[in-house]
Structure formats: structure tokens, C-alpha cells
């Protein structure tokens, strides 16, 4: 859940990356890893999507490949909405 919350997301992702080998050996592919991958979809920036892609390029998880793709798609969709809507919202707030 820490990967979903804006205030803990960066620290949780850094921890996950730093301890990936331990997490995969303790959680197993089907028990918790796919949930971690799914939570990465809450990271709403292009940089985060690129970081996730790069990380899982080095550490593939075949059992969660579809979940990974969906997480990256959610990141990209969220980013697109942010890029499209933020200027209009800023103008509205400024009025």
C-alpha cells in the first residue's frame, strides 16, 4: 500500500528496488510480487514509468508481465491527463 500513497511512494519504490532480490526470494512470484508490480501503476509520471520499465528490464518477472504492462499503462494514462489538464486547472485557480 505504501507504493500507492503519494507521501510514501518514492521511499517505498526505492526500498523495493534496493531489496528486490530479498523480496522475490521471501515472497515468491505468486504471493506478493505481482501485488507490488500492480501498485506501481499509481506512480503518475513519465519518469516513474521509465524507471519501472528500466528496472524490470533488468529484473523481469514473467509471471507478472501482464500486470507490469497494465501498471505502466496506468502511469502513462495518468501522466497524459495531468499534462492535458494541469494548465487549464492552473488558469481556473488563478482566476
Amino acid at each position: 500500500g505504501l507504493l500507492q500513497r503519494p507521501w510514501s511512494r518514492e521511499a517505498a519504490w526505492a526500498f523495493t528496488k534496493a531489496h528486490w532480490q530479498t523480496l522475490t526470494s521471501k515472497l515468491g512470484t505468486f504471493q506478493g510480487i505481482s501485488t507490488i508490480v500492480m501498485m506501481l501503476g499509481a506512480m503518475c509520471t513519465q519518469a516513474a514509468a521509465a524507471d519501472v520499465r528500466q528496472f524490470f528490464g533488468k529484473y523481469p518477472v514473467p509471471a507478472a508481465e501482464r500486470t507490469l504492462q497494465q501498471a505502466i499503462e496506468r502511469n502513462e494514462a495518468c501522466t497524459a491527463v495531468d499534462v492535458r489538464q494541469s494548465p487549464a486547472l492552473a488558469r481556473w485557480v488563478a482566476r
Side-chain angles (χ1 to χ4, degrees):
L2 294 174
L3 287 166
Q4 287 186 300
R5 289 164 179 71
W7 54 86
S8 58
R9 188 175 296 138
E10 285 185 39
W13 178 228
F15 177 88
T16 300
K17 290 188 295 185
H19 300 287
W20 184 250
Q21 301 293 28
T22 303
L23 289 169
T24 55
S25 67
K26 289 191 183 267
L27 295 176
T29 303
F30 296 105
Q31 291 180 348
I33 298 303
S34 60
T35 302
I36 290 172
V37 171
M38 181 178 63
M39 296 300 132
L40 296 173
M43 300 167 67
C44 188
T45 66
Q46 289 177 340
D51 188 32
V52 169
R53 268 198 191 98
Q54 181 181 13
F55 181 79
F56 286 104
K58 292 178 187 174
Y59 303 101
V61 183
E65 187 60 38
R66 182 165 171 81
T67 304
L68 175 61
Q69 192 58 37
Q70 290 170 336
I72 291 170
E73 287 173 8
R74 283 195 320 274
N75 284 339
E76 291 171 346
C78 179
T79 301
V81 169
D82 184 39
V83 167
R84 189 173 54 246
Q85 297 297 327
S86 289
L89 178 61
R91 285 190 302 273
W92 180 79
V93 169
R95 289 183 191 172

